[in-house]
Amino acid sequence: MRTILFALSCGLMASCGQTGTHPSTPKADSTQPSTVVNAANSIRPFRDTVRKEPVAEYRVKTDNPLNDWYFSVRLFETPKTFYYLIRLQFEEIQGTDTLKLPNFGINPRPEIRKGPENYSCIIGFLDKDNQFREYKKVYVVGERLKITALKHYAVYTYQDEKE
């Protein structure tokens, strides 16, 4: 029994002296500190003031000859910087939804553009290169108001390791 304990303790002491690096693992250069710069951290997560008026709006009068009705979509700011409230309306049908824009390190710039159908629009945003990125589509099918996600966006941060 003593010999088994002696052998185990010798093995443990020998393994504690190793650095734990494997020959195939690249060694990090300790002379240069690795820094990760995340541009998304430069934007505050909450707004100081929330605007009461819509930041973007799309509105088209419906073909109803008896009433003054509209198909309209309006985006409103929320206290969170990258979240917006969507207010939808088609004639007397109303609804709400939320829009969460990705944080590219710039202030969000939501936009609404005309869609392919008569009563439809595309909600999106302008990216760093001022390119319109489609996000959601609002449209009418029969007498129903619908909203569908067209694409999904995400922002990732990674660290480039130098050998």
Side-chain angles (χ1 to χ4, degrees), residues 44-140:
R44 297 176 60 165
F46 293 94
R47 292 184 173 93
D48 292 330
T49 58
V50 178
R51 292 174 39 182
K52 298 293 182 194
E53 64 274 356
V55 294
E57 183 173 9
Y58 180 80
R59 186 174 170 170
V60 175
K61 187 167 175 36
T62 63
D63 294 332
N64 189 315
L66 300 176
N67 299 302
D68 189 28
W69 283 339
Y70 290 89
F71 167 76
S72 71
V73 178
R74 298 178 297 162
L75 293 179
F76 292 91
E77 289 182 345
T78 65
K80 292 184 178 181
T81 303
F82 294 94
Y83 287 80
Y84 291 86
L85 175 67
I86 306 171
R87 294 194 187 266
L88 316 164
Q89 182 171 359
F90 174 68
E91 295 179 346
E92 289 301 308
I93 303 168
Q94 296 181 5
T96 60
D97 196 10
T98 57
L99 176 70
K100 181 184 183 293
L101 297 180
N103 184 349
F104 288 123
I106 60 173
N107 283 315
R109 297 181 290 169
E111 196 171 292
I112 303 175
R113 295 190 176 177
K114 182 178 179 358
E117 295 90 12
N118 191 20
Y119 301 124
S120 70
C121 65
I122 306 296
I123 301 172
F125 60 94
L126 296 176
D127 65 6
K128 286 183 174 184
D129 300 323
N130 284 331
Q131 297 294 317
F132 181 72
R133 302 292 179 181
E134 296 179 339
Y135 205 132
K136 293 187 176 189
K137 178 181 177 182
V138 180
Y139 57 102
V140 176

Side-chain angles (χ1 to χ4, degrees), residues 7-20:
L8 284 175
S9 54
C10 288
L12 284 174
M13 289 194 314
S15 66
C16 290
Q18 295 180 357
T19 60

